[in-house]
Amino acid sequence: MKITNLGTRANASFYVACELYKQMSQQSHSKLGLATGGTMVDMYQFLVDLLHKNQLDVSHIETFNLDEYVGLDAQHDQSYHSYMNQVLFKQYPNFNPSLTHVPNGNADDLNVEAQRYEDLINQQGPVDIQILGIGENGHIGFNEPGTDINSATHVVNLTESTIHANSRYFDNENEVPKQAISMGLSTILKAQRIILLAFGEKKRAAIEQLTQNEVNSEIPASILHAHPNVEIYVDDEAAPKS
Ligand code: F6R
């Protein structure tokens, strides 16, 4: 695992957008694991810009999002379906909608949906590049502290800390869904290459825990020590001080 401080959010976002662009331009049938959240917004903007400038054909690129809230309609403005449409798929409509996957958080049977999503990734994968953000509590995807290291895609009860952190995207904390469907830790580790982005002082403690070089189930992101090909890019504020 290599942690690199690229100074600013803009530098790191542009760098990661270039890595995704390169992957897609070198392999037209690439599989990408995508994340949502505030951290990713600039990265997607740079990516959309690169795609437009170069008119890259992405019609065979297949994408798998990490997670989706339970109980939000796909059209809800805070659903991760909507997020992805807003930041990427509508901005560059050459993506084939039948190849852009996000778990269905409104499925009648959530466990069946989680299994379907896991099976899909296993059939179509492995993912070439998995993009990750990180929660203040060290979660990746919505794998909260204590998640089983062998977990596959599953239904998650969000912790108070995550509900509070994500309430900034909703009118109030009561509106934040209490559950999500998330790729599991073992699902994430199947990717060939993993790139994690973290910005701002609030993420520094979680990043510092990763420098301790050991897997600790209280810091789900520490599972990344078990993967041979992980890069972490941070800005000055999220860079470890210790
Ligand atoms: C999003 C995801 C989460 C976020 C994390 C950070 O798909 O899986 O793990 O990456 O909660 O969120 P932001 O970027 O909003 O701070």
Side-chain angles (χ1 to χ4, degrees), residues 70 109-114 142 152-158 179-182:
V70 164
D109 187 326
L110 296 170
N111 291 316
V112 169
E113 169 59 8
F142 273 133
T153 302
H154 61 302
V155 181
V156 176
N157 294 322
L158 301 180
Q179 288 188 308
I181 295 183
S182 176

Side-chain angles (χ1 to χ4, degrees), residues 105-130:
N106 241 349
D108 289 338
D109 187 326
L110 296 170
N111 291 316
V112 169
E113 169 59 8
Q115 186 64 53
R116 181 198 69 80
Y117 201 70
E118 180 75 17
D119 292 345
L120 183 70
I121 294 170
N122 287 334
Q123 280 154 21
Q124 305 298 106
V127 160
D128 296 294
I129 299 183
Q130 175 67 57

